[in-house]
Amino acid sequence: QAADSKREQFRRYLEKSGVLDTLTKVLVALYEEPEKPNSALDFLKHHLGASAPENPELEALRLEVAEMKEKYEAVLEENKKLKTQVKTY
């Protein structure tokens, strides 16, 4: 019982201080990486080290990069289709 109580207190402490939320965000970012890094530990260290207060401009740039990646993938796909069409003529 005492061990369970200590664990629960510690869990609440981590939750209250934002540690669980931050870890979850970093792990989700790793999960969503299209190309997994060679070292998951280095990825975690890098992203946890960068968890200083967010600059709104930085977040806007991250969103822009994500949008550009999507557009890039769409253009690559369209290019592939057009090349196939050209070959058939």
Side-chain angles (χ1 to χ4, degrees):
Q1 282 284 4
D4 286 343
S5 175
K6 277 188 169 186
R7 269 191 221 132
E8 184 58 27
Q9 285 177 338
F10 186 63
R11 187 196 62 75
R12 283 195 304 263
Y13 162 73
L14 292 176
E15 190 173 354
K16 189 176 181 180
S17 63
V19 171
L20 290 180
D21 189 44
T22 301
L23 283 175
T24 300
K25 285 178 183 176
V26 172
L27 291 172
V28 167
L30 176 58
Y31 175 79
E32 291 176 346
E33 275 293 309
E35 292 183 30
K36 302 297 181 237
N38 290 332
S39 171
L41 186 56
D42 286 344
F43 180 92
L44 293 174
K45 286 178 182 177
H46 171 75
H47 282 77
L48 287 174
S51 39
E54 281 295 315
N55 178 343
E57 196 174 309
L58 188 60
E59 185 57 30
L61 289 172
R62 282 193 183 118
L63 288 172
E64 187 178 347
V65 166
E67 288 172 12
M68 291 294 134
K69 283 181 180 179
E70 285 180 26
K71 287 179 183 178
Y72 172 74
E73 293 298 326
V75 167
L76 282 181
E77 190 60 35
E78 182 184 12
N79 188 350
K80 210 187 251 185
K81 288 178 184 175
L82 291 172
K83 282 182 178 180
T84 304
Q85 289 177 359
V86 167
K87 285 181 183 178
T88 58
Y89 286 109

